[in-house]
Structure formats: C-alpha cells, structure tokens
Amino acid sequence: MSLVYEISLLLLLLMTAAGAILVKDLMSAILLLGCYSFFLSVVWAWLGAVDVAFVEAVVGAGLATVLFLLTLFGTQPKDGRLRRPPPPIAAVIALPLLGVLLLYAAKDLPAFGDPASPPSVRISPSYLEQSYKDTRTPNVVTSVLMDYRSLDTMVETVVIFTAGIACAFILRRKTS
Amino acid sequence: MVDALAAVFERPNFLTFVIIFLWGFYIMVTRYNLVKKLVGMYLVQTSVIFFLVSISAKKGATVPILLSTTDPVKAIDYVNPLPHVMTLTAIVVGVATLGVALALCSAIYRTYGSLDEEEILKKLE
C-alpha cells in the first residue's frame, strides 16, 4: 500500500519536473515548477519531515514562484529560440556516465528506511533523547535549529539580509 | 548486473534524485535562455535536498515531535531530525541566491534587451 503511494508521488514529481523542463512557454514552465515544489513538500511530509515540508511549501513553492513570475513580467515571457544548436558533446557523454556511476553506487547506500543505517545510529539518538531535558521543547527540529545551532541560524539570516541588499543594489534605477 | 539493478529499484527515491539532478544539470549546460537555466538550477538544488531528507527516513517511525514529555524517549520511534535541520537552512539560502540570480537576469534584460545567451554575447562584442 505505502509503496504504491510512494511510487505514484515520485512519478508525479518526475512528470512535473519534466513539464517544467520541456514546455516552451516560460510562464507555464514556472507554474509547473511551482507544482513540482508542492509535490516535493507532500513527499517530504510523507517521509516524516514536516518542518521541511512547510518551509518548501512556503518558500519553495510560494516565494520562488513569485520571484520567477516577477522576473518574467519585467522581461520576455517566451523562449524566443525555435531551433537549438546540438548540445556540447562533453555534456552528452559525461552526464549519462555520471548517472551510471551514481546508480552503480546505489547498492552501497543503506536500505531505504533502515533504522540501523549509519546516519540514524551515530549521533541523532542522543539529540532525540536529550533535547527535551536540555531545551524543554517537544519539537526536536526546532530545538536543534533554535538552541543547539542558534548561531548557525543567526548567520543564515545574515546571508538572507545580504541577498536582499544585493537585489536592491542590482535593481536600483540610476537617477540622472 | 542484476544485483545492481535490483539495488537501484529498491531505492526509488535515489533513482528519482539521480534523474532530476542530471536532467537539471543538463538543462543548465545546454539551454540558452537564462530563466530556463535557473529552472535547471532550482531542480538541482531541490533534488539534492530530496536525497538528504530521504536518508533521514526510518520504517515505522513518526515525525520528530515528542509524543510524551514525561516518558523516556526511544530514538527508534522518531525519524532522524538532523538532516531536516540542515536542509531547512539549505532551502532558504537556495531561494535567496535564486532571488539574486533573477535580479541579475532582469538587470541584464534592461541593459541588453534579451535573455538569450547568444544575443547578449553578440551585443557585447
């Protein structure tokens, strides 16, 4: 049952990503990309990552789509090129080779959902068991983000602030 | 050979990650429209985050919010919260850099009147 659910969600994900890539009209491509983000957040909620799913639905599907649409309203909404020259030969050879290598490495990865996989047994149990004692917050993701790693989160806001300043300076119209 | 194929199909999330990552990368390399390149970049970013979140899954576990604050916590009942924290940061920073890239795109369009890479290069000469 759950495998059927997973496979159909992954197929929807692949189909919306393919649509965003193949559609000629850029406006439709951006809206399909928004759909892709929403399906991604559904997949993440199904995997148990509810905080990541919320952030993706708000920031990925909402804010990124709005930014793309604002750019397209200011520029040309169509990919004007009708015929493309053939792609560079290095990309055609190297990328499938990289894909085969990545898939060949699949059997060394821990099985999907294995509770005894290396990332789940080394350090994360101590966070899960200690965090309520240390921070008095039942949500472990919040307690790691806002308490154990609060300096990282603060510097992340510095990054976003810098990005905002950069956008403001790039888009400033010259007053002559 | 059959082992390797079976290993891939036992991990459908990894297969999806590889397809979206490589396709997005190919779009970044081959397309000439700048906005289309950014669509490819967004696909690459989100596919890597998807891979990291897939690592955190555990069979039969629930979301990392403690069910009871008085009982002792068993780590096997909750999914691994650490990849979630790291990817939260990655999503927000990724969209911030995407915003800067899109601002650069509209500045380029204002100066050169086109978003096509070859036309911009022709006007630069």
Side-chain angles (χ1 to χ4, degrees):
Chain A
M1 178 58 205
S2 85
L3 195 70
V4 176
Y5 193 48
E6 183 191 1
I7 298 289
S8 51
L9 272 177
L10 291 180
L11 276 179
L12 277 171
L13 203 64
L14 278 177
M15 272 157 55
T16 43
I21 287 170
L22 296 175
V23 164
K24 202 83 187 162
D25 184 28
L26 286 176
M27 202 69 91
S28 325
I30 299 312
L31 292 177
L32 278 167
L33 200 68
C35 293
Y36 164 81
S37 285
F38 265 117
F39 283 125
L40 204 59
S41 75
V42 171
V43 173
W44 284 341
W46 181 75
L47 288 176
V50 276
D51 303 80
V52 190
F54 277 128
V55 169
E56 176 66 22
V58 173
V59 177
L63 188 63
T65 310
V66 168
L67 288 176
F68 266 118
L69 285 180
L70 280 177
T71 312
L72 283 188
F73 282 135
T75 59
Q76 52 190 16
K78 272 212 170 16
D79 191 353
R81 182 175 287 272
L82 288 178
R83 270 184 305 162
R84 296 193 197 93
I89 198 88
V92 175
I93 293 174
L95 287 180
L97 201 66
L98 183 62
V100 170
L101 279 176
L102 278 173
L103 291 179
Y104 181 68
K107 78 175 186 311
D108 292 338
L109 284 174
F112 175 65
D114 181 12
S117 67
S120 304
V121 294
R122 294 294 296 279
I123 194 163
S124 74
S126 59
Y127 274 101
L128 280 166
E129 282 154 13
Q130 302 290 325
S131 71
Y132 189 74
K133 237 177 284 169
D134 290 346
T135 64
R136 299 280 148 194
T137 310
N139 189 338
V140 184
V141 175
T142 308
S143 72
V144 176
L145 190 75
M146 289 300 182
D147 200 309
Y148 294 108
R149 296 265 160 243
S150 51
L151 271 176
D152 287 359
T153 309
M154 194 188 77
V155 180
E156 180 201 342
T157 56
V158 173
V159 171
I160 297 163
F161 184 62
T162 315
I165 291 178
C167 283
F169 274 116
I170 290 167
L171 293 177
R172 188 179 53 172
R173 289 180 192 279
K174 289 194 177 60
T175 49
S176 55
Chain B
M1 184 67 202
V2 180
D3 287 4
L5 273 180
V8 168
F9 284 105
E10 276 166 20
R11 298 168 178 80
N13 291 37
F14 185 67
L15 182 63
T16 314
F17 153 70
V18 170
I19 294 173
I20 296 180
F21 178 83
L22 289 174
W23 207 355
F25 202 77
Y26 180 76
I27 292 300
M28 277 173 77
V29 174
T30 55
R31 292 293 192 272
Y32 284 85
N33 190 291
L34 293 179
V35 174
K36 203 77 183 184
K37 275 177 192 281
L38 288 180
V39 170
M41 189 185 88
Y42 185 77
L43 288 177
V44 170
Q45 281 175 349
T46 48
S47 70
V48 173
I49 295 169
F50 175 57
F51 174 60
L52 292 176
V53 173
S54 304
I55 284 180
S56 77
K58 285 184 203 168
K59 271 206 182 67
T62 182
V63 297
I65 298 170
L66 304 183
L67 293 171
S68 154
T69 52
T70 47
D71 300 344
V73 179
K74 270 189 285 175
I76 207 156
D77 291 338
Y78 303 99
V79 296
N80 185 352
L82 298 181
H84 300 182
V85 181
M86 303 307 150
T87 52
L88 276 181
T89 314
I91 291 173
V92 177
V93 171
V95 171
T97 50
L98 186 75
V100 176
L102 286 168
L104 279 172
C105 273
S106 47
I108 286 171
Y109 186 79
R110 225 182 264 161
T111 314
Y112 297 103
S114 171
L115 280 181
D116 193 293
E117 205 182 42
E118 284 201 330
E119 282 177 35
I120 295 167
L121 284 176
K122 228 177 276 171
K123 280 179 191 164
L124 271 174
E125 280 167 8

